[in-house]
Amino acid sequence: MATYLLRDGSKVTADIILPQMDVFVYETDGGKTVQVVLSVEAEQFLLNSLSSKVVPLRRRMETAYKKCSA
């Protein structure tokens, strides 16, 4: 399972692979690998791939995406 850092600062753990050009990978002091989502498209793909347990997060990110698109 990978840990993703979203553009709003939230972290999500998912068993999804995003294209390497859409993420920046770093390692924490504790040795844990975190992938920072860089593009809106990659973030939307990730959120749409998650289970319904993350619906509030998905709604928040969709709202942020709409503000960026306006």
Side-chain angles (χ1 to χ4, degrees):
M1 294 279 254
T3 301
Y4 292 96
L5 179 63
L6 302 179
R7 295 177 317 120
D8 72 345
S10 302
K11 288 187 179 178
V12 175
T13 302
D15 193 19
I16 298 169
I17 298 173
L18 294 177
Q20 290 294 2
M21 63 186 306
D22 289 331
V23 296
F24 173 77
V25 181
Y26 73 93
E27 192 171 307
T28 64
D29 292 337
K32 187 172 184 178
T33 301
V34 177
Q35 299 184 36
V36 181
V37 180
L38 300 176
S39 70
V40 173
E41 293 81 12
E43 188 172 78
Q44 286 297 311
F45 176 80
L46 176 65
L47 292 174
N48 289 334
S49 301
L50 296 175
S51 69
S52 61
K53 294 177 185 177
V54 192
V55 171
L57 174 63
R58 183 180 301 158
R59 287 190 186 142
R60 186 174 66 214
M61 294 309 295
E62 287 173 351
T63 302
Y65 175 71
K66 288 176 186 175
K67 288 180 184 177
C68 290
S69 298

